[in-house]
């Protein structure tokens, strides 16, 4: 049989990617809870195995880790709500501070751009009318989002329970897709996936804890109001690679502006976040997660943006684990190994243009990079 031309192969691969993306977008309300449940199930597997070693009945051994997980999440929600309540309690002072900052900004615009306060008010009034005109659509979308969120968290514990209950059946299903001679690679890939995802997700939980404590403590020592709230918000947003840290900086500055009439606290917040980020990226997180998740920065950023566009915020949090799983699969497939190279951070020391050895589908000497 005549071999399919390389251009046709690549076209089929791209069409397959496009089809997978379309299915993901159309079925995201079904797929996202399943994906989240799958990754959480991997993280809960050691706890399940521990209870099974103690001869706890299987149903109870599955239920207990899920219960512990949701108790932990409930404590986080309670802590976050308490911090928000503290912020709301200061609303009169916040309103006063925001008014002072807006007046200063208005005066600066009037002095430097010859744009009078009257013209500024007219512009704000016009924009407000436009905003109010679209408020109905925004509220309608918000109501839909609330419904989706409730559905998401309603299905999540059910999916986690069923995935853990039928884990052996699901593993058998995967093996039956491959010939017997490929089962060794399949087993290796599944074990690598479990190891990487557990390491990554547990590392993220540890990361949230130490960023909240470290950043909150530094800001508290400098007398910054709502220090713990800024720490919690930044810790959770930092789970979104690259983009989350930027949003966390902006929100930290906004909360500080609203809580203080001075500019110095803003620089303290930005400086503290920079120090914590440096420690996190270069010292703490590499030691916790190690070098198991080897995804290059370009693939990570594009993956996060693409995931957010296709599946919303929850997909952005799962972007790196999903990319890591895809890389494991691609690295163990001769047909798709080039996609694994594209996602990884194994940079050749020399240019493949001049050294043909780097054009082949095999591991190459590389200069490791961090993401």
């Amino acid at each position: 049989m005549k071999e399919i031309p390389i251009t046709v192969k690549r076209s089929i691969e791209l069409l397959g990617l496009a089809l997978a993306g379309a299915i993901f977008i159309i079925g995201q309300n079904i797929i996202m809870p399943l994906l989240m449940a799958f990754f959480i199930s991997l993280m809960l597997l050691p706890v399940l195995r521990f209870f099974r070693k103690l001869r706890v009945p299987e149903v109870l051994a599955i239920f207990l880790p899920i219960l512990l997980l949701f108790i932990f999440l409930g404590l986080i929600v309670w802590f976050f709500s308490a911090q928000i309540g503290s912020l709301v309690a200061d609303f009169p002072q916040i309103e006063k501070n925001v008014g002072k900052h807006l007046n200063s900004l208005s005066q600066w615009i009037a002095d430097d751009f010859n744009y009078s306060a009257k013209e500024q008010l007219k512009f704000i009034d016009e924009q407000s009318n436009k905003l109010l005109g679209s408020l109905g659509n925004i509220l309608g979308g918000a109501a839909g989002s609330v419904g989706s969120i409730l559905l998401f968290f309603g299905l999540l514990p059910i999916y986690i329970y069923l995935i853990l209950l039928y884990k052996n059946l699901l593993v058998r299903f995967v093996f039956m897709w491959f010939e017997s001679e490929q089962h060794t690679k399949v087993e290796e890939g599944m074990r690598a996936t479990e190891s990487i995802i557990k390491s990554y997700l547990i590392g993220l939980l540890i990361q949230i804890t130490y960023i909240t404590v470290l950043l909150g403590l530094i800001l508290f020592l400098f007398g910054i109001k709502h220090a713990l709230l800024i720490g919690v918000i930044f810790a959770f947003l930092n789970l979104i690679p690259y983009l989350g840290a930027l949003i966390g900086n902006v929100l930290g500055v906004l909360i500080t502006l609203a809580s203080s009439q001075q500019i110095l606290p803003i620089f303290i917040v930005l400086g503290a976040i920079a120090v914590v980020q440096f420690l996190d990226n270069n010292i703490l997180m590499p030691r916790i997660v190690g070098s198991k998740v080897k995804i290059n920065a370009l693939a990570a950023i594009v993956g996060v943006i693409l995931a957010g566009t296709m599946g919303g915020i929850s997909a952005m949090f799962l972007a790196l684990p999903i990319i890591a799983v895809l890389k494991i699969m691609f690295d163990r497939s001769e047909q798709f190994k080039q996609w694994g190279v594209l996602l990884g951070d194994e940079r050749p020391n020399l240019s493949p243009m001049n050294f043909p050895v780097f054009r082949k589908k095999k591991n190459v000497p590389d200069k490791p990079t961090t993401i």
Side-chain angles (χ1 to χ4, degrees):
M1 182 181 290
K2 188 176 180 181
E3 188 177 355
I4 300 175
I6 188 69
T7 52
V8 176
K9 287 183 179 179
R10 298 293 88 85
S11 298
I12 293 173
E13 289 177 15
L14 292 173
L15 284 173
L17 286 174
L19 180 60
I23 293 173
F24 187 89
I25 293 171
I26 295 169
Q28 61 178 284
N29 290 335
I30 299 172
I31 295 172
M32 283 311 303
L34 271 173
L35 278 176
M36 184 72 77
F38 169 73
F39 288 122
I40 293 175
S41 299
L42 288 180
M43 187 174 64
L44 295 180
L45 266 179
V47 185
L48 170 62
R49 288 167 181 159
F50 171 76
F51 284 127
R52 291 297 287 160
K53 284 182 181 178
L54 296 177
R55 301 195 180 278
V56 175
E58 185 178 22
V59 173
L60 186 60
I62 295 172
F63 177 76
L64 286 176
I66 298 173
L67 179 62
L68 293 173
L69 173 67
F70 277 87
I71 290 174
F72 175 74
L73 293 177
L75 291 173
I76 292 175
V77 171
W78 170 81
F79 178 75
F80 189 75
S81 301
Q83 295 301 312
I84 292 291
S86 174
L87 182 66
V88 171
D90 292 339
F91 185 77
Q93 183 63 39
I94 289 172
E95 189 176 17
K96 182 179 177 181
N97 294 337
V98 170
K100 180 180 178 181
H101 291 307
L102 288 176
N103 288 333
S104 300
L105 178 62
S106 176
Q107 188 61 46
W108 175 72
I109 293 174
D111 292 341
D112 286 28
F113 298 97
N114 295 320
Y115 200 64
S116 68
K118 185 177 180 180
E119 291 173 318
Q120 293 176 40
L121 287 173
K122 182 181 178 183
F123 174 79
I124 292 172
D125 186 57
E126 290 174 353
Q127 298 305 313
S128 299
N129 289 333
K130 291 179 181 178
L131 182 62
L132 290 172
S134 60
L135 188 59
N137 294 332
I138 294 172
L139 291 175
S145 297
V146 170
S148 298
I149 290 171
L150 291 175
L151 179 64
F152 182 94
F153 284 102
L155 290 173
L156 196 59
I158 298 172
Y159 284 154
I160 295 172
Y161 177 84
L162 293 176
I163 288 173
L164 290 174
L165 182 65
Y166 292 110
K167 62 182 184 303
N168 292 335
L169 183 148
L170 296 173
V171 170
R172 185 187 179 205
F173 169 78
V174 172
F175 274 115
M176 289 176 69
W177 277 90
F178 300 91
E179 300 296 333
S180 299
E181 58 270 15
Q182 297 176 313
H183 285 180
T184 302
K185 279 191 175 182
V186 174
E187 181 182 351
E188 181 189 345
M190 287 195 288
R191 292 190 185 281
T193 298
E194 180 182 346
S195 174
I196 287 176
I197 298 306
K198 283 194 300 186
S199 173
Y200 181 72
L201 293 180
I202 292 172
L204 290 186
L205 290 178
I206 298 171
Q207 184 187 37
I208 290 172
T209 303
Y210 71 65
I211 286 181
T212 300
V213 173
L214 190 58
L215 182 57
L217 182 61
I218 292 173
L219 295 180
F220 177 78
L221 292 176
F222 277 100
I224 303 298
K225 291 195 71 174
H226 309 297
L228 277 178
L229 178 60
I230 295 173
V232 170
I233 290 174
F234 183 80
F236 276 94
L237 286 174
N238 195 53
L239 299 183
I240 303 175
Y242 306 103
L243 300 179
L246 177 61
I247 299 171
N249 273 276
V250 172
L251 290 180
V253 168
L254 290 177
I255 293 172
T256 307
L257 269 175
S259 306
S260 174
Q261 296 184 4
Q262 300 176 343
I263 300 298
L264 179 61
I266 296 173
F267 293 102
I268 293 175
V269 169
L270 291 175
I273 289 176
V275 170
V276 170
Q277 268 194 293
F278 176 82
L279 293 173
D280 176 51
N281 293 336
N282 297 283
I283 299 175
L284 299 174
M285 200 57 181
R287 292 179 182 274
I288 295 170
V289 178
S291 58
K292 291 184 177 180
V293 184
K294 294 183 177 180
I295 308 298
N296 69 68
L298 177 62
I301 293 174
V302 173
V304 168
I305 296 173
L306 192 60
T309 303
M310 296 169 63
I313 295 176
S314 56
M316 296 177 77
F317 284 107
L318 293 178
L320 275 188
I322 291 172
I323 294 172
V325 172
L326 289 174
K327 178 168 168 51
I328 291 170
M329 294 166 56
F330 293 151
D331 284 345
R332 285 158 179 79
S333 168
E334 287 299 321
Q335 186 177 357
F336 300 110
K337 192 176 287 287
Q338 61 271 20
W339 292 100
V341 170
L342 180 65
L343 298 177
D345 66 350
E346 299 167 347
R347 292 185 296 150
N349 291 328
L350 303 170
S351 171
M353 295 291 289
N354 301 322
F355 295 87
V357 66
F358 295 119
R359 303 174 190 176
K360 300 178 181 179
K361 292 183 179 182
K362 64 178 184 178
N363 294 331
V364 299
D366 63 293
K367 294 179 179 178
T369 59
T370 57
I371 62 171

